[in-house]
Structure formats: structure tokens, C-alpha cells
Amino acid sequence: VPMGVLSCMKYLMFIFNVLVFAGGICLVGVGVWVAVDPAGFQDIVAAKPVLSVGAYLLLAVGIALSLLGFLGCCGALRRSRPLLLL
């Protein structure tokens, strides 16, 4: 495999993992917002009983995605196969 293709793959994997990390951080932000100020969020969404469970679900999924995105970025930059497989 030519070296240019491997370098391109490395940076494409890095960019994809940065997007996953950013999405996880956004989910964490929305989860914190809903957990801290549910009244402000109820103006947007009418489903009131689901908010308490939904806030913690958003936090858990956001933390998991940001962790996976961060480890993927490290794995792509260091060309570490175990980090990429994780």
C-alpha cells in the first residue's frame, strides 16, 4: 500500500474521531442543561416525565462517545491498533 494512502487514511480517521468526540461533548452539554435546568428545557419539549431519565441517558451516551472519540484520535495519530479497535 502506498505511503500517501496510509497518511490519508490516518488523517481521515482522525477527523472522523474528532467529529465523534465533538458530538459526544454536545450530548454532554445538552444532558447537563436538561439535568440542571429542566424548566427551561420543558418550554422546548412537551414530554415532562421523560426529562429526568433522558438527561442522564444523554450524559451517559455523551461521555461514552467523547471517550471513544478521544481514544480514537489518539489511536489514529499514534497508529495504535489496540486503541483503534477499542
Side-chain angles (χ1 to χ4, degrees), residues 13-60:
M13 288 179 70
F14 177 76
I15 290 170
F16 177 75
N17 283 306
V18 165
L19 291 175
V20 170
F21 179 75
I25 293 297
C26 289
L27 284 178
V28 168
V30 171
V32 167
W33 175 37
V34 173
V36 171
D37 186 23
F41 195 75
Q42 285 176 357
D43 295 339
I44 299 171
V45 179
K48 293 178 176 116
V50 181
L51 284 180
S52 61
V53 175
Y56 296 113
L57 184 65
L58 281 175
L59 281 170

Side-chain angles (χ1 to χ4, degrees), residues 55-67:
Y56 296 113
L57 184 65
L58 281 175
L59 281 170
V61 171
I63 290 171
L65 277 177
S66 60
L67 180 65

